[in-house]
Structure formats: structure tokens, C-alpha cells
Amino acid sequence: EVQLLESGGGLVQPGGSLRLSCAASGFIFRNHAMHWVRQAPGKGLEWVSRITGYGGNTYYADSVKGRFTISRDNSKNTLYLQMDSLRAEDTAIYYCAQDVVGATTPVSTLTWGQGTMVTVSS
Amino acid sequence: IQMTQTPSSLSASVGDRVIITCRASQTISNYLNWYQQKPGKAPKLLISAASSSQSGVPSRFSGSGYGTDFTLTISSLQPEDFATYYCQQSFSSLYTFGQGTKLETK
């Protein structure tokens, strides 16, 4: 069974930094791209970032580019999100998600963790 | 790629047929998924590749579409279906979601 366990959330002041972690189990971690998706209180889902299986390629939403860094340690089956220069609008639940390519089609879907809350406030 | 989902909210009754639409700003073939989210929970995958239902998802849920226009249909709304639904494209390396459709009890 796939398990994704996020940690590292909390309260941080504007301009501060935080690093989120996602411990993965139940699948061959290095074989899957991984994502971070966030959801501000009472709002919709916003895709944040993606990293390929061996970490060679990373992608970011415009809203976080230059401030957030996604990375992974395949020896530890762990995904990270380094968040710098945090703003109030970064306040959200941050979900870690596994990218799963379809068995019969190349369409990828997401399998989700339970999320960790990040609050940016003074 | 921008995903425009309509309506943003919908009041309906048990037994109603409900249709939610999702439009992509450019063609995405069938790289379109639908998720259901209930309060306090992570999203759950309902439909992948525009029309493939996931194992365990009730047959009242169906998806269709190709290119830029897609629909999620609930044939006969049940009490447990009141939730928020999101479309999501995985055609681009930068995934995007629709704004969500909140299904509420009429």
C-alpha cells in the first residue's frame, strides 16, 4: 500500500523559511516522479512543483518559482520542499503526491498524502 | 495550460443527474483526470484519462471528452457525493487544476 507522510509544517513569519518532507513507502520511490500540491484555506487545489524520478528535472508554478526548491533523496525514499521568502499567500495545506503513469495509457494521475499545514503570519 | 471548470458551485438533490464541465486552454488529448475531495480529506481519484473509472468508484460516475472539452457526469446523485470536484491536466510538465465545483444540497 502506498503511503506518503508529510511533515515539517508549522507557523513561520513572512520572509522566513521552512522545509517540508514527505516519507514514501509501499512503492519503488525512484521509479516515480513526485509532486507538491497546495490548498489555501477554503480555496482550490494549486499544483506547486514536480521532480522526476532521479531528480534530473524540476518544474515549478510561477507563483513559487525562485523561492521554492523541490528535491529528493532516493536512498531515503524522501521528497523535500525548501520554501524560502515565504509570504502570507503561501499559507496552505501542502500535499505530497506520487505520479502514477497509467497501466494502459500514458496519462499520469496523482496519489496523495494527507498533507501538512503551513501558516505564514507575524 | 489553464483549466476552466464550470459551474463553481451547484445545488442539487439526491437522485439528480449532474454534469460538471472542464475546458482546457489548449488541446490536451485525453490527459485529463477528475478528483473528488471531501472536507478535511485529501483528494481521491475518480476518473483518469478522461473516461477511465478507477477501481471501486461507483458506476454512476462517468467521464468523457477529448482535446479541450471534458465532462464529469453523476447519473443519480447520492448523499455521499456532496463534495468538491476538480479536473486536472497532466499533458504539460506543469500540471494544473480547475477551480473546483462544490456540490451542495438543494
Side-chain angles (χ1 to χ4, degrees):
Chain A
E1 179 192 3
V2 171
Q3 291 199 0
L4 301 168
L5 184 60
E6 301 94 336
S7 61
L11 175 64
V12 61
Q13 291 188 340
S17 298
L18 208 56
R19 189 176 85 153
L20 305 182
S21 300
C22 171
S25 61
F27 63 101
I28 302 174
F29 184 65
R30 64 181 180 272
N31 285 355
H32 292 263
M34 296 294 294
H35 302 255
W36 289 100
V37 179
R38 68 184 181 183
Q39 186 169 36
K43 302 297 184 182
L45 300 169
E46 180 187 15
W47 177 85
V48 172
S49 184
R50 173 190 182 204
I51 186 167
T52 52
Y54 286 89
N57 293 95
T58 57
Y59 307 88
Y60 298 93
D62 286 344
S63 58
V64 305
K65 194 178 298 183
R67 300 187 300 122
F68 289 11
T69 303
I70 191 171
S71 62
R72 63 193 297 160
D73 186 337
N74 287 345
S75 69
K76 297 181 178 178
N77 288 351
T78 303
L79 175 71
Y80 303 100
L81 185 67
Q82 177 67 40
M83 304 186 294
D84 298 319
S85 303
L86 282 161
R87 306 166 180 167
E89 54 265 36
D90 295 319
T91 294
I93 297 171
Y94 284 74
Y95 293 101
C96 162
Q98 175 202 25
D99 191 291
V100 181
V101 178
T104 57
T105 77
V107 180
S108 288
T109 61
L110 299 175
T111 301
W112 305 71
Q114 288 307 303
T116 187
M117 184 70 202
V118 172
T119 303
V120 184
S121 174
S122 54
Chain B
I1 299 175
Q2 304 298 320
M3 306 301 294
T4 303
Q5 195 175 329
T6 55
S8 56
S9 65
L10 180 58
S11 294
S13 300
V14 172
D16 284 353
R17 183 170 182 260
V18 168
I19 298 175
I20 299 169
T21 66
C22 185
R23 174 167 289 178
S25 60
Q26 65 185 73
T27 184
I28 58 170
S29 181
N30 68 335
Y31 286 69
L32 190 284
N33 305 310
W34 290 98
Y35 298 86
Q36 177 193 65
Q37 187 181 34
K38 295 184 176 179
K41 299 293 187 181
K44 170 190 172 184
L45 180 65
L46 295 177
I47 304 284
S48 65
S51 59
S52 296
S53 293
Q54 298 307 292
S55 173
V57 173
S59 59
R60 62 182 179 273
F61 290 92
S62 64
S64 66
Y66 189 89
T68 60
D69 294 307
F70 303 86
T71 60
L72 173 69
T73 300
I74 309 173
S75 59
S76 179
L77 203 58
Q78 297 302 301
E80 60 268 29
D81 300 337
F82 290 97
T84 302
Y85 294 84
Y86 295 92
C87 62
Q88 173 251 324
Q89 66 81 19
S90 57
F91 182 83
S92 165
S93 296
L94 281 64
Y95 292 9
T96 44
F97 291 88
Q99 303 95 315
T101 296
K102 185 174 184 179
L103 273 185
E104 298 174 307
T105 308
K106 183 182 287 184

